[in-house]
Amino acid sequence: MNKKLPFVIDEDININSKPSLLLHSCCAPCSSSVLEMLCEHFEVTVFYYNPNIFPESEYEKRLNEQKRFCKEFSNQNRTIGFLASEYCSEDFESASKELENVPEGGKRCTQCYRLRLEKTAMMAFEKGFDYFASTLSVSPLKDAKRLNAIGEELSKKYGTKYLVSDFKKQNGYKRSTELSKQYNMYRQDFCGCKYSLAERIMSAKAFIFDADGTLFDTMNFYEDFANRYLVMQGYEPEANIREKIRAKTITECCEYIKEKYKIEKSVDEIQDDLSKMLHDLYAKETGMKDGVFEFLKYSKQKGIRMCIATATAKNLLSLTLEHLGLQDYFEFVLTCPEVGATKREAKIYDECVRMLDLSQRDAVVFEDAHHAMITAKDAGYRVVAVREETELKFMEEILANCDIHVDSMMDLINRENL
Protein backbone atom coordinates (compact mmCIF):
# COMPACT_ATOMS: atom_id res chain seq x y z
CA MET A 1 0.00 0.00 0.00
CA ASN A 2 1.38 3.40 -1.04
CA LYS A 3 2.56 5.27 2.06
CA LYS A 4 0.90 8.43 0.77
CA LEU A 5 -2.34 6.76 -0.26
CA PRO A 6 -4.60 4.47 1.79
CA PHE A 7 -5.18 2.26 -1.27
CA VAL A 8 -3.17 0.38 -3.90
CA ILE A 9 -3.11 1.52 -7.55
CA ASP A 10 -1.69 -0.78 -10.22
CA GLU A 11 1.68 0.39 -11.50
CA ASP A 12 0.57 -0.12 -15.11
CA ILE A 13 -2.44 2.18 -14.76
CA ASN A 14 -2.85 4.76 -17.52
CA ILE A 15 -2.37 8.12 -15.79
CA ASN A 16 -3.95 9.93 -18.77
CA SER A 17 -7.20 8.01 -18.52
CA LYS A 18 -8.89 7.42 -15.19
CA PRO A 19 -10.12 3.84 -14.71
CA SER A 20 -13.72 3.30 -13.62
CA LEU A 21 -14.47 2.20 -10.08
CA LEU A 22 -17.68 0.99 -8.48
CA LEU A 23 -17.57 2.07 -4.84
CA HIS A 24 -19.87 0.35 -2.38
CA SER A 25 -20.93 2.91 0.23
CA CYS A 26 -22.43 2.12 3.61
CA CYS A 27 -23.51 5.74 4.20
CA ALA A 28 -22.83 9.29 3.07
CA PRO A 29 -20.54 10.25 6.00
CA CYS A 30 -18.24 7.27 5.40
CA SER A 31 -18.18 7.94 1.66
CA SER A 32 -17.15 11.59 2.02
CA SER A 33 -13.40 11.38 2.60
CA VAL A 34 -13.16 8.24 0.47
CA LEU A 35 -14.65 10.03 -2.53
CA GLU A 36 -12.36 12.99 -1.93
CA MET A 37 -9.37 10.64 -2.20
CA LEU A 38 -10.56 8.39 -5.01
CA CYS A 39 -11.96 10.96 -7.43
CA GLU A 40 -8.43 12.17 -8.18
CA HIS A 41 -7.54 8.76 -9.56
CA PHE A 42 -10.79 7.13 -10.73
CA GLU A 43 -14.11 7.76 -12.41
CA VAL A 44 -16.21 6.79 -9.44
CA THR A 45 -19.76 5.49 -9.26
CA VAL A 46 -21.24 5.01 -5.80
CA PHE A 47 -23.21 1.81 -5.26
CA TYR A 48 -25.65 1.86 -2.35
CA TYR A 49 -26.50 -1.67 -1.24
CA ASN A 50 -27.01 -2.16 2.50
CA PRO A 51 -29.74 -4.69 3.34
CA ASN A 52 -28.41 -4.81 6.91
CA ILE A 53 -29.84 -1.38 7.72
CA PHE A 54 -32.88 -1.41 9.97
CA PRO A 55 -35.66 -0.41 9.63
CA GLU A 56 -36.54 0.41 6.02
CA SER A 57 -37.22 4.04 6.97
CA GLU A 58 -33.61 4.26 8.20
CA TYR A 59 -32.45 2.73 4.91
CA GLU A 60 -34.36 5.36 2.96
CA LYS A 61 -33.01 8.16 5.15
CA ARG A 62 -29.41 7.06 4.59
CA LEU A 63 -30.07 6.45 0.88
CA ASN A 64 -31.42 9.96 0.38
CA GLU A 65 -28.48 11.44 2.27
CA GLN A 66 -26.08 9.50 0.05
CA LYS A 67 -27.79 10.78 -3.09
CA ARG A 68 -27.67 14.35 -1.78
CA PHE A 69 -23.98 14.18 -0.97
CA CYS A 70 -23.03 12.67 -4.35
CA LYS A 71 -24.88 15.48 -6.09
CA GLU A 72 -23.47 18.27 -3.93
CA PHE A 73 -19.91 16.88 -3.95
CA SER A 74 -19.81 16.61 -7.74
CA ASN A 75 -18.25 19.59 -9.50
CA GLN A 76 -16.53 20.52 -12.77
CA ASN A 77 -13.53 18.37 -11.86
CA ARG A 78 -15.44 15.32 -10.68
CA THR A 79 -18.74 13.75 -11.59
CA ILE A 80 -19.88 11.03 -9.24
CA GLY A 81 -22.20 8.39 -10.62
CA PHE A 82 -24.81 6.71 -8.48
CA LEU A 83 -26.48 3.29 -8.39
CA ALA A 84 -28.71 1.81 -5.72
CA SER A 85 -30.29 -1.54 -5.04
CA GLU A 86 -33.81 -2.02 -3.75
CA TYR A 87 -34.12 -2.56 -0.02
CA CYS A 88 -34.04 -6.29 0.64
CA SER A 89 -33.63 -7.07 4.33
CA GLU A 90 -34.16 -10.76 3.54
CA ASP A 91 -30.63 -10.84 2.08
CA PHE A 92 -29.17 -9.83 5.42
CA GLU A 93 -31.54 -12.04 7.42
CA SER A 94 -30.36 -15.04 5.43
CA ALA A 95 -26.66 -14.14 5.71
CA SER A 96 -26.86 -13.59 9.48
CA LYS A 97 -29.04 -16.58 10.35
CA GLU A 98 -27.91 -18.28 13.59
CA LEU A 99 -25.43 -15.43 14.16
CA GLU A 100 -27.92 -13.04 15.76
CA ASN A 101 -26.25 -13.16 19.19
CA VAL A 102 -22.65 -12.95 17.99
CA PRO A 103 -21.06 -9.72 19.30
CA GLU A 104 -20.51 -6.86 16.86
CA GLY A 105 -17.25 -7.28 14.97
CA GLY A 106 -17.53 -11.08 14.87
CA LYS A 107 -18.63 -13.64 12.32
CA ARG A 108 -21.98 -11.92 11.65
CA CYS A 109 -20.13 -8.80 10.54
CA THR A 110 -17.85 -10.89 8.31
CA GLN A 111 -20.92 -12.35 6.61
CA CYS A 112 -22.34 -8.87 6.20
CA TYR A 113 -19.08 -7.62 4.63
CA ARG A 114 -19.13 -10.54 2.21
CA LEU A 115 -22.79 -10.02 1.32
CA ARG A 116 -22.28 -6.39 0.36
CA LEU A 117 -18.90 -6.83 -1.31
CA GLU A 118 -20.14 -9.75 -3.41
CA LYS A 119 -23.12 -7.76 -4.64
CA THR A 120 -20.71 -4.95 -5.55
CA ALA A 121 -18.34 -7.33 -7.35
CA MET A 122 -21.24 -8.80 -9.33
CA MET A 123 -22.49 -5.33 -10.27
CA ALA A 124 -18.99 -4.20 -11.25
CA PHE A 125 -18.60 -7.23 -13.51
CA GLU A 126 -22.04 -6.79 -15.11
CA LYS A 127 -21.52 -3.05 -15.73
CA GLY A 128 -17.93 -3.38 -16.95
CA PHE A 129 -16.14 -1.41 -14.23
CA ASP A 130 -12.36 -1.68 -14.01
CA TYR A 131 -12.34 -1.81 -10.20
CA PHE A 132 -14.62 -2.27 -7.23
CA ALA A 133 -14.09 -1.18 -3.61
CA SER A 134 -15.95 -0.31 -0.41
CA THR A 135 -16.00 2.61 2.00
CA LEU A 136 -16.31 0.23 4.97
CA SER A 137 -12.64 0.38 5.98
CA VAL A 138 -12.86 4.10 6.77
CA SER A 139 -14.51 3.21 10.09
CA PRO A 140 -12.17 2.54 13.03
CA LEU A 141 -14.54 -0.32 13.91
CA LYS A 142 -14.11 -2.16 10.61
CA ASP A 143 -11.31 -4.66 9.98
CA ALA A 144 -9.53 -3.66 6.76
CA LYS A 145 -7.56 -6.92 6.57
CA ARG A 146 -10.76 -8.94 6.66
CA LEU A 147 -12.41 -6.70 4.08
CA ASN A 148 -9.41 -6.87 1.73
CA ALA A 149 -9.19 -10.65 1.99
CA ILE A 150 -12.85 -10.96 0.99
CA GLY A 151 -12.43 -8.37 -1.77
CA GLU A 152 -9.44 -10.13 -3.32
CA GLU A 153 -11.22 -13.48 -3.15
CA LEU A 154 -14.23 -12.00 -4.97
CA SER A 155 -11.94 -10.34 -7.51
CA LYS A 156 -10.70 -13.76 -8.55
CA LYS A 157 -14.26 -15.10 -8.67
CA TYR A 158 -15.73 -12.33 -10.84
CA GLY A 159 -12.67 -11.11 -12.74
CA THR A 160 -12.90 -7.45 -11.73
CA LYS A 161 -9.98 -5.84 -9.91
CA TYR A 162 -10.46 -5.08 -6.24
CA LEU A 163 -8.94 -1.91 -4.82
CA VAL A 164 -7.02 -2.98 -1.74
CA SER A 165 -7.53 -0.20 0.79
CA ASP A 166 -7.65 0.98 4.37
CA PHE A 167 -9.41 4.31 4.10
CA LYS A 168 -9.12 5.13 7.80
CA LYS A 169 -5.38 5.71 7.25
CA GLN A 170 -4.00 9.14 6.42
CA ASN A 171 -6.65 10.62 8.76
CA GLY A 172 -9.42 9.27 6.56
CA TYR A 173 -11.90 8.85 9.38
CA LYS A 174 -11.10 12.26 10.87
CA ARG A 175 -11.58 13.87 7.46
CA SER A 176 -14.94 12.09 7.06
CA THR A 177 -16.18 13.66 10.30
CA GLU A 178 -15.04 17.08 9.09
CA LEU A 179 -16.83 16.71 5.76
CA SER A 180 -19.93 15.39 7.53
CA LYS A 181 -20.12 18.60 9.53
CA GLN A 182 -19.37 20.72 6.48
CA TYR A 183 -22.20 19.14 4.50
CA ASN A 184 -24.51 18.92 7.52
CA MET A 185 -24.93 15.16 7.10
CA TYR A 186 -27.23 12.86 9.00
CA ARG A 187 -25.18 10.49 11.15
CA GLN A 188 -26.25 7.58 13.35
CA ASP A 189 -24.33 6.02 16.23
CA PHE A 190 -24.62 2.37 15.15
CA CYS A 191 -23.73 0.45 11.98
CA GLY A 192 -27.34 0.03 10.94
CA CYS A 193 -28.38 -3.55 11.67
CA LYS A 194 -30.94 -4.38 14.32
CA TYR A 195 -28.52 -6.60 16.22
CA SER A 196 -26.04 -3.77 16.50
CA LEU A 197 -28.88 -1.50 17.62
CA ALA A 198 -29.89 -4.00 20.30
CA GLU A 199 -26.29 -4.07 21.56
CA ARG A 200 -26.24 -0.29 21.65
CA ILE A 201 -29.49 -0.21 23.63
CA MET A 202 -28.13 -2.74 26.12
CA SER A 203 -25.05 -0.55 26.64
CA ALA A 204 -27.16 2.40 27.83
CA LYS A 205 -26.59 3.79 31.30
CA ALA A 206 -30.27 3.93 32.19
CA PHE A 207 -33.68 2.58 31.20
CA ILE A 208 -36.85 4.62 31.70
CA PHE A 209 -39.86 2.29 31.75
CA ASP A 210 -43.52 3.03 31.32
CA ALA A 211 -45.58 0.83 33.67
CA ASP A 212 -48.98 -0.19 32.28
CA GLY A 213 -48.70 -2.09 29.02
CA THR A 214 -44.91 -2.00 29.09
CA LEU A 215 -43.89 -3.68 32.34
CA PHE A 216 -47.31 -4.83 33.47
CA ASP A 217 -50.18 -6.53 31.68
CA THR A 218 -52.95 -4.12 32.69
CA MET A 219 -54.01 -2.40 29.50
CA ASN A 220 -57.09 -4.53 28.86
CA PHE A 221 -58.49 -3.22 32.13
CA TYR A 222 -57.67 0.37 31.20
CA GLU A 223 -59.16 -0.07 27.77
CA ASP A 224 -62.43 -1.18 29.35
CA PHE A 225 -62.67 0.39 32.81
CA ALA A 226 -64.65 3.49 31.71
CA ASN A 227 -67.12 1.26 29.87
CA ARG A 228 -67.47 -0.98 32.89
CA TYR A 229 -67.91 1.89 35.30
CA LEU A 230 -70.47 3.72 33.17
CA VAL A 231 -72.54 0.57 32.63
CA MET A 232 -72.46 -0.11 36.39
CA GLN A 233 -73.76 3.42 36.94
CA GLY A 234 -76.56 3.00 34.36
CA TYR A 235 -75.07 5.02 31.50
CA GLU A 236 -74.49 3.98 27.89
CA PRO A 237 -70.82 4.66 26.95
CA GLU A 238 -70.01 6.43 23.70
CA ALA A 239 -68.52 4.17 21.05
CA ASN A 240 -65.13 5.88 21.02
CA ILE A 241 -64.67 6.41 24.75
CA ARG A 242 -61.43 4.41 24.74
CA GLU A 243 -59.85 6.91 22.38
CA LYS A 244 -61.20 9.83 24.40
CA ILE A 245 -59.46 8.73 27.59
CA ARG A 246 -56.40 6.98 26.14
CA ALA A 247 -53.77 9.56 27.12
CA LYS A 248 -55.49 10.87 30.25
CA THR A 249 -54.55 10.34 33.89
CA ILE A 250 -57.10 8.73 36.22
CA THR A 251 -58.15 12.13 37.56
CA GLU A 252 -58.56 13.49 34.04
CA CYS A 253 -60.64 10.43 33.11
CA CYS A 254 -62.94 11.05 36.07
CA GLU A 255 -63.31 14.71 35.13
CA TYR A 256 -64.13 13.73 31.55
CA ILE A 257 -66.72 11.11 32.62
CA LYS A 258 -68.44 13.51 35.01
CA GLU A 259 -68.65 16.33 32.48
CA LYS A 260 -69.59 14.19 29.48
CA TYR A 261 -72.26 12.09 31.20
CA LYS A 262 -73.47 14.67 33.74
CA ILE A 263 -72.90 12.25 36.61
CA GLU A 264 -74.17 13.60 39.92
CA LYS A 265 -71.23 12.21 41.88
CA SER A 266 -68.26 14.47 42.42
CA VAL A 267 -64.95 13.84 40.67
CA ASP A 268 -63.54 12.67 44.00
CA GLU A 269 -66.40 10.21 44.47
CA ILE A 270 -65.99 8.84 40.96
CA GLN A 271 -62.29 8.51 41.60
CA ASP A 272 -62.98 6.67 44.86
CA ASP A 273 -65.16 4.17 42.97
CA LEU A 274 -62.45 3.62 40.39
CA SER A 275 -59.78 3.44 43.07
CA LYS A 276 -61.53 0.46 44.63
CA MET A 277 -61.53 -1.30 41.29
CA LEU A 278 -57.90 -0.38 40.68
CA HIS A 279 -56.74 -1.34 44.17
CA ASP A 280 -57.73 -4.95 43.63
CA LEU A 281 -56.19 -4.94 40.16
CA TYR A 282 -52.80 -3.65 41.28
CA ALA A 283 -52.66 -5.44 44.63
CA LYS A 284 -53.72 -8.89 43.51
CA GLU A 285 -54.27 -9.34 39.78
CA THR A 286 -51.52 -7.50 37.88
CA GLY A 287 -48.84 -9.64 36.27
CA MET A 288 -45.66 -8.86 34.39
CA LYS A 289 -45.51 -8.96 30.62
CA ASP A 290 -43.54 -11.68 28.88
CA GLY A 291 -39.82 -11.60 29.66
CA VAL A 292 -39.97 -8.58 31.98
CA PHE A 293 -38.58 -10.19 35.13
CA GLU A 294 -35.69 -11.84 33.27
CA PHE A 295 -34.91 -8.56 31.50
CA LEU A 296 -34.94 -6.53 34.73
CA LYS A 297 -32.69 -9.08 36.43
CA TYR A 298 -30.24 -9.10 33.51
CA SER A 299 -30.17 -5.29 33.30
CA LYS A 300 -29.57 -4.91 37.02
CA GLN A 301 -26.68 -7.38 36.85
CA LYS A 302 -25.18 -5.26 34.07
CA GLY A 303 -25.40 -2.18 36.26
CA ILE A 304 -28.01 -0.42 34.15
CA ARG A 305 -29.95 2.05 36.27
CA MET A 306 -33.74 1.82 36.04
CA CYS A 307 -36.74 3.94 36.91
CA ILE A 308 -40.45 4.10 36.06
CA ALA A 309 -42.21 7.03 34.37
CA THR A 310 -45.96 6.51 34.49
CA ALA A 311 -49.38 8.12 34.42
CA THR A 312 -50.52 5.65 37.08
CA ALA A 313 -50.92 6.83 40.68
CA LYS A 314 -47.83 6.03 42.73
CA ASN A 315 -49.78 4.38 45.55
CA LEU A 316 -51.33 1.91 43.09
CA LEU A 317 -48.06 1.11 41.40
CA SER A 318 -46.44 0.53 44.79
CA LEU A 319 -49.01 -2.22 45.40
CA THR A 320 -47.93 -4.02 42.24
CA LEU A 321 -44.21 -3.59 42.87
CA GLU A 322 -44.68 -5.07 46.33
CA HIS A 323 -47.00 -7.81 45.08
CA LEU A 324 -44.44 -8.86 42.44
CA GLY A 325 -41.31 -8.24 44.54
CA LEU A 326 -39.84 -5.64 42.18
CA GLN A 327 -39.20 -2.70 44.53
CA ASP A 328 -35.41 -3.12 44.48
CA TYR A 329 -35.10 -2.97 40.71
CA PHE A 330 -36.08 0.68 40.34
CA GLU A 331 -34.39 3.74 41.80
CA PHE A 332 -37.64 5.69 41.79
CA VAL A 333 -41.12 5.97 40.33
CA LEU A 334 -42.11 9.30 38.78
CA THR A 335 -45.72 10.05 37.84
CA CYS A 336 -47.31 12.45 35.39
CA PRO A 337 -49.22 14.27 38.15
CA GLU A 338 -45.94 14.86 39.96
CA VAL A 339 -44.43 16.66 36.97
CA GLY A 340 -47.68 18.37 36.04
CA ALA A 341 -47.85 17.05 32.49
CA THR A 342 -49.11 14.04 30.53
CA LYS A 343 -46.93 12.08 28.15
CA ARG A 344 -47.99 14.39 25.36
CA GLU A 345 -45.01 16.36 26.69
CA ALA A 346 -41.47 15.11 27.36
CA LYS A 347 -41.36 16.66 30.80
CA ILE A 348 -41.53 13.34 32.65
CA TYR A 349 -38.65 11.81 30.66
CA ASP A 350 -36.53 14.92 31.06
CA GLU A 351 -37.14 14.93 34.80
CA CYS A 352 -36.12 11.27 34.99
CA VAL A 353 -32.72 11.90 33.41
CA ARG A 354 -32.27 14.94 35.64
CA MET A 355 -32.98 12.83 38.73
CA LEU A 356 -30.57 10.18 37.47
CA ASP A 357 -27.97 12.89 36.88
CA LEU A 358 -27.49 11.67 33.33
CA SER A 359 -27.90 13.15 29.86
CA GLN A 360 -30.65 12.34 27.39
CA ARG A 361 -28.31 10.27 25.23
CA ASP A 362 -27.51 8.02 28.20
CA ALA A 363 -31.10 6.79 28.61
CA VAL A 364 -33.47 4.56 26.64
CA VAL A 365 -37.25 4.94 26.95
CA PHE A 366 -39.47 1.81 26.91
CA GLU A 367 -43.11 2.46 25.97
CA ASP A 368 -46.14 0.62 24.62
CA ALA A 369 -48.37 3.59 23.73
CA HIS A 370 -47.81 5.27 20.38
CA HIS A 371 -48.54 8.79 21.63
CA ALA A 372 -45.84 8.46 24.31
CA MET A 373 -43.35 7.09 21.77
CA ILE A 374 -43.95 10.08 19.53
CA THR A 375 -43.25 12.41 22.45
CA ALA A 376 -40.06 10.64 23.52
CA LYS A 377 -38.75 10.25 19.98
CA ASP A 378 -39.45 13.87 19.06
CA ALA A 379 -37.60 14.90 22.22
CA GLY A 380 -34.52 12.99 21.06
CA TYR A 381 -34.70 9.83 23.16
CA ARG A 382 -33.94 6.36 21.87
CA VAL A 383 -37.23 4.45 22.10
CA VAL A 384 -37.99 0.74 22.45
CA ALA A 385 -41.59 -0.11 21.57
CA VAL A 386 -42.96 -3.05 23.56
CA ARG A 387 -45.74 -5.02 21.92
CA GLU A 388 -49.15 -4.34 23.43
CA GLU A 389 -52.27 -5.92 21.95
CA THR A 390 -54.43 -2.85 22.55
CA GLU A 391 -51.98 -0.72 20.52
CA LEU A 392 -51.66 -2.94 17.46
CA LYS A 393 -54.03 -0.77 15.41
CA PHE A 394 -51.46 2.01 15.73
CA MET A 395 -48.60 -0.13 14.44
CA GLU A 396 -47.79 2.20 11.56
CA GLU A 397 -47.31 5.13 13.95
CA ILE A 398 -45.42 2.91 16.41
CA LEU A 399 -42.90 1.70 13.83
CA ALA A 400 -42.42 5.27 12.60
CA ASN A 401 -41.69 6.56 16.10
CA CYS A 402 -39.50 3.94 17.74
CA ASP A 403 -35.97 2.71 17.19
CA ILE A 404 -36.98 -0.93 17.54
CA HIS A 405 -40.16 -2.89 18.27
CA VAL A 406 -40.00 -6.03 20.42
CA ASP A 407 -42.54 -8.69 21.28
CA SER A 408 -40.63 -9.30 24.51
CA MET A 409 -37.89 -7.22 26.15
CA MET A 410 -35.76 -10.38 26.21
CA ASP A 411 -35.55 -10.11 22.40
CA LEU A 412 -32.95 -7.39 23.00
CA ILE A 413 -30.74 -10.01 24.67
CA ASN A 414 -31.69 -13.22 22.86
CA ARG A 415 -31.98 -11.67 19.40
CA GLU A 416 -33.24 -14.53 17.25
CA ASN A 417 -36.77 -13.04 17.27
CA LEU A 418 -35.88 -9.44 16.44
Side-chain angles (χ1 to χ4, degrees):
M1 194 172 295
N2 190 314
K3 291 183 179 180
K4 294 183 179 180
L5 294 172
F7 53 87
V8 177
I9 300 179
D10 287 354
E11 293 181 0
D12 61 350
I13 198 168
N14 184 351
I15 60 173
N16 296 315
S17 176
K18 291 181 180 180
S20 59
L21 182 145
L22 185 65
L23 177 68
H24 164 263
S25 177
C26 54
C27 63
C30 285
S31 74
S32 59
S33 62
V34 176
L35 285 169
E36 188 175 58
M37 289 183 275
L38 290 180
C39 285
E40 288 187 40
H41 306 278
F42 298 91
E43 295 292 342
V44 181
T45 294
V46 167
F47 178 47
Y48 189 83
Y49 171 70
N50 299 290
N52 57 308
I53 294 176
F54 172 86
E56 186 171 359
S57 58
E58 177 69 18
Y59 182 90
E60 293 296 329
K61 188 182 292 186
R62 296 192 191 194
L63 171 61
N64 290 333
E65 194 71 340
Q66 183 71 72
K67 287 179 181 177
R68 178 179 74 85
F69 178 68
C70 287
K71 183 177 180 181
E72 293 182 9
F73 199 61
S74 294
N75 58 32
Q76 60 184 2
N77 297 316
R78 58 175 178 249
T79 300
I80 301 167
F82 186 80
L83 294 170
S85 177
E86 292 294 320
Y87 182 64
C88 187
S89 60
E90 291 82 2
D91 290 354
F92 176 70
E93 298 285 350
S94 177
S96 60
K97 189 172 179 59
E98 298 184 358
L99 300 171
E100 297 89 350
N101 294 310
V102 174
E104 188 171 1
K107 190 174 180 181
R108 186 183 66 242
C109 290
T110 300
Q111 292 297 92
C112 187
Y113 298 164
R114 179 176 295 279
L115 173 67
R116 291 183 280 175
L117 279 170
E118 180 145 23
K119 186 78 168 182
T120 307
M122 290 172 62
M123 181 68 73
F125 171 74
E126 291 171 4
K127 300 287 186 181
F129 284 88
D130 299 312
Y131 286 81
F132 73 98
S134 175
T135 64
L136 285 167
S137 68
V138 79
S139 168
L141 301 177
K142 299 296 187 290
D143 183 350
K145 288 183 179 179
R146 213 183 325 172
L147 286 162
N148 287 330
I150 295 170
E152 291 185 303
E153 176 190 329
L154 294 171
S155 176
K156 292 175 183 177
K157 180 177 179 179
Y158 290 97
T160 303
K161 293 178 182 178
Y162 171 74
L163 188 70
V164 175
S165 53
D166 188 354
F167 291 118
K168 70 177 70 65
K169 291 188 174 181
Q170 304 298 319
N171 291 318
Y173 176 71
K174 179 182 177 183
R175 180 58 178 156
S176 75
T177 62
E178 293 169 350
L179 287 167
S180 295
K181 292 177 182 177
Q182 180 181 333
Y183 283 85
N184 192 29
M185 288 187 202
Y186 166 71
R187 296 176 68 91
Q188 189 127 10
D189 63 351
F190 72 105
C191 81
C193 85
K194 56 188 175 182
Y195 310 118
S196 169
L197 174 57
E199 284 190 46
R200 189 57 56 95
I201 288 168
M202 294 308 300
S203 68
K205 293 181 180 179
F207 291 156
I208 301 172
F209 294 98
D210 170 58
D212 295 294
T214 301
L215 292 172
F216 308 121
D217 197 9
T218 52
M219 288 312 296
N220 281 326
F221 173 85
Y222 275 100
E223 285 283 298
D224 201 45
F225 86 89
N227 272 312
R228 289 168 61 183
Y229 180 75
L230 288 167
V231 170
M232 286 168 59
Q233 298 297 317
Y235 297 90
E236 184 176 347
E238 58 197 307
N240 64 341
I241 191 169
R242 290 184 177 185
E243 299 308 314
K244 294 289 187 179
I245 67 170
R246 178 175 292 274
K248 297 182 184 297
T249 64
I250 293 295
T251 300
E252 289 170 337
C253 288
C254 294
E255 290 171 345
Y256 176 81
I257 289 170
K258 176 174 174 55
E259 181 179 347
K260 176 70 178 178
Y261 294 91
K262 310 303 180 186
I263 296 175
E264 292 184 3
K265 290 185 177 183
S266 68
V267 170
D268 287 342
E269 289 173 327
I270 296 173
Q271 192 157 346
D272 285 343
D273 291 342
L274 291 176
S275 292
K276 292 173 184 175
M277 297 167 63
L278 289 168
H279 183 278
D280 287 343
L281 173 72
Y282 282 94
K284 303 174 183 177
E285 301 174 31
T286 298
M288 286 176 274
K289 297 194 75 170
D290 180 53
V292 164
F293 181 71
E294 295 85 353
F295 186 80
L296 294 177
K297 186 176 179 181
Y298 179 92
S299 300
K300 185 176 182 179
Q301 289 172 344
K302 281 199 66 178
I304 299 171
R305 301 172 66 189
M306 295 179 281
C307 66
I308 295 176
T310 179
T312 302
K314 187 174 287 187
N315 66 310
L316 292 174
L317 195 55
S318 296
L319 294 172
T320 290
L321 294 177
E322 183 177 356
H323 162 58
L324 297 172
L326 298 178
Q327 306 98 312
D328 294 340
Y329 286 92
F330 305 102
E331 293 191 23
F332 59 85
V333 173
L334 187 65
T335 68
C336 289
E338 286 178 301
V339 299
T342 70
K343 288 186 177 179
R344 300 287 182 184
E345 301 177 45
K347 197 171 179 180
I348 193 166
Y349 307 119
D350 294 341
E351 182 62 12
C352 282
V353 294
R354 188 196 68 78
M355 292 172 67
L356 291 164
D357 195 25
L358 295 172
S359 66
Q360 189 183 73
R361 66 178 176 271
D362 294 325
V364 176
V365 172
F366 289 71
E367 284 283 358
D368 68 294
H370 71 288
H371 70 274
M373 294 175 205
I374 293 170
T375 300
K377 191 68 176 172
D378 286 348
Y381 290 91
R382 180 159 274 162
V383 177
V384 175
V386 179
R387 180 186 175 89
E388 167 51 48
E389 294 298 323
T390 60
E391 287 281 324
L392 293 183
K393 57 190 165 186
F394 302 108
M395 188 56 72
E396 186 175 342
E397 292 98 318
I398 287 171
L399 295 178
N401 290 283
C402 72
D403 291 276
I404 194 166
H405 179 271
V406 296
D407 290 338
S408 164
M409 291 182 196
M410 283 301 292
D411 291 345
L412 293 169
I413 300 168
N414 302 320
R415 298 168 188 140
E416 299 90 344
N417 296 322
L418 279 181

